[in-house]
Amino acid sequence: MKKFLTLGLMLLLLSGCSGNWGWYVVDPTTSSGWTNLKFMAFGAYYTILISVTSILISVVLGLLIALPGLSEKRGWRMFNRTYVEIVRSVPILVLILWVYYGLPTVSGITLSVFWSGVLALALSDSAFQAEIFRAGIQSIGRGQYEAAQSVSLNYRDTMRYIILPQAIRRILPALGNQLVYMLKMSSLVSVIGLQELTRRANELVVSEYRPLEIYSVLVLQYLFLILIVSAGVRWFERRLKASDT
C-alpha cells in the first residue's frame, strides 16, 4: 500500500512539471475527470472475475495433468510431458485469438468473449500449474507414502489426506505468483473486446487523446490489485504456519 501511495504522489508531483500534460482527464475534482475514473474503475470487475475464474480452473486442470506425470507408467508420463510442452509453448495472446476466432470454425462451438478468455487463460496456465503441483508432490518424503500404506490407505485417500495438504502448503507462494501473473495476463483479453481495465483505458485514450495520463492511472490500478493479492497470499501463509504450530 505504501508503494502505491508513493507512486501516486510521484505522479501528482510530475503533473506540475509540464504544461503539456493533461491530468485534467483523470482529475477527480472535475466532473469529466471523475466520470473517466469511474469508467476505468468499472473494468476492474471483469479483470478480477476473469482472473479468479481462470486460476480456479487452471489449478484443478493442472493437478489433473500433474498426476499422470508421477505415474510409473511411461505412457502416462509422456502424456503429461507432451501436454505441458505444447501448451506452454503457445503465446497466451495467440491462444486467446485462436480460441475466440478459430474454435468456432474447427468445432462449431462459439463462446462469449468472457468464456473465450477464461478458456485460453486457464489452458495456458494449467501447464505451469501442472509443473508446480508435480514439484510440490515430489518434494514430500517417501516416508509419508509408506505411513499411508501402513494404515491401508488407497492412492486416492493418500493423496487427499496425506500428500496434497502438505504439498499445497509448500507450493502456496508459487500459486500466489500465478494469480498475480493471471491478473496481468488478463489484460490481453482486451484484444477480443472484454471490457476489463486495459480495454476501458484504450477506449478512453481514443476519445481523450491523453495516453500518458490514462495509462499512468492504469498502471496504478494494476499495482493496487496486485499489492492486495500479494498481501492476501502472505496473510494466508502466516495463517497456515500458525495452524501448524
Side-chain angles (χ1 to χ4, degrees):
M1 185 62 69
K2 290 182 179 179
K3 294 179 181 178
F4 174 76
L5 294 175
T6 301
L7 184 55
L9 180 60
M10 290 173 60
L11 289 176
L12 289 175
L13 291 174
L14 287 173
S15 65
C17 296
S18 172
N20 296 325
W21 289 21
W23 291 102
Y24 61 88
V25 298
V26 289
D27 185 353
T29 63
T30 66
S31 176
S32 60
W34 180 243
T35 300
N36 290 339
L37 287 175
K38 287 195 297 182
F39 176 79
M40 294 180 66
F42 286 152
Y45 170 78
Y46 278 113
T47 293
I48 296 172
L49 183 62
I50 196 172
S51 299
V52 173
T53 306
S54 300
I55 200 72
L56 291 176
I57 295 174
S58 69
V59 165
V60 175
L61 186 57
L63 176 59
L64 295 177
I65 297 299
L67 294 178
L70 304 170
S71 174
E72 297 179 354
K73 296 182 179 180
R74 187 171 181 271
W76 284 114
R77 294 199 306 273
M78 286 297 297
F79 166 77
N80 168 272
R81 182 51 49 196
T82 301
Y83 179 92
V84 169
E85 294 299 333
I86 290 177
V87 172
R88 70 180 180 183
S89 297
V90 180
I92 296 182
L93 180 58
V94 175
L95 189 56
I96 291 171
L97 293 172
W98 189 90
V99 169
Y100 187 66
Y101 294 107
L103 187 61
T105 302
V106 173
S107 64
I109 300 174
T110 302
L111 299 176
S112 65
V113 170
F114 177 80
W115 286 109
S116 295
V118 167
L119 179 59
L121 291 174
L123 282 176
S124 180
D125 191 59
S126 66
F128 298 95
Q129 297 285 359
E131 290 297 275
I132 291 172
F133 273 106
R134 183 176 64 84
I137 293 173
Q138 288 179 332
S139 70
I140 306 301
R142 185 63 187 172
Q144 300 292 319
Y145 293 92
E146 295 173 352
Q149 291 175 357
S150 68
V151 294
S152 302
L153 289 180
N154 57 30
Y155 178 80
R156 184 184 65 180
D157 289 340
T158 298
M159 282 292 174
R160 180 180 177 183
Y161 296 112
I162 306 297
I163 306 302
L164 284 179
Q166 298 180 69
I168 289 174
R169 282 179 168 83
R170 297 186 180 186
I171 66 176
L172 185 60
L175 294 179
N177 286 338
Q178 288 303 113
L179 179 54
V180 170
Y181 174 78
M182 189 69 76
L183 277 169
K184 294 189 292 184
M185 291 302 103
S186 66
S187 63
L188 296 176
V189 187
S190 63
V191 301
I192 58 174
L194 184 68
Q195 289 289 318
E196 44 73 63
L197 287 173
T198 302
R199 177 74 179 192
R200 292 205 163 209
N202 289 338
E203 291 180 356
L204 202 56
V205 167
V206 172
S207 62
E208 296 287 352
Y209 304 104
R210 286 294 179 179
L212 172 62
E213 296 81 0
I214 293 170
Y215 287 137
S216 295
V217 172
L218 182 63
V219 168
L220 292 178
Q221 288 177 317
Y222 278 108
L223 179 61
F224 181 71
L225 287 176
I226 289 171
L227 287 177
I228 290 177
V229 170
S230 299
V233 171
R234 288 194 295 270
W235 174 83
F236 193 54
E237 287 180 32
R238 291 194 296 269
R239 288 292 302 270
L240 288 178
K241 290 180 181 178
S243 64
D244 289 340
T245 57

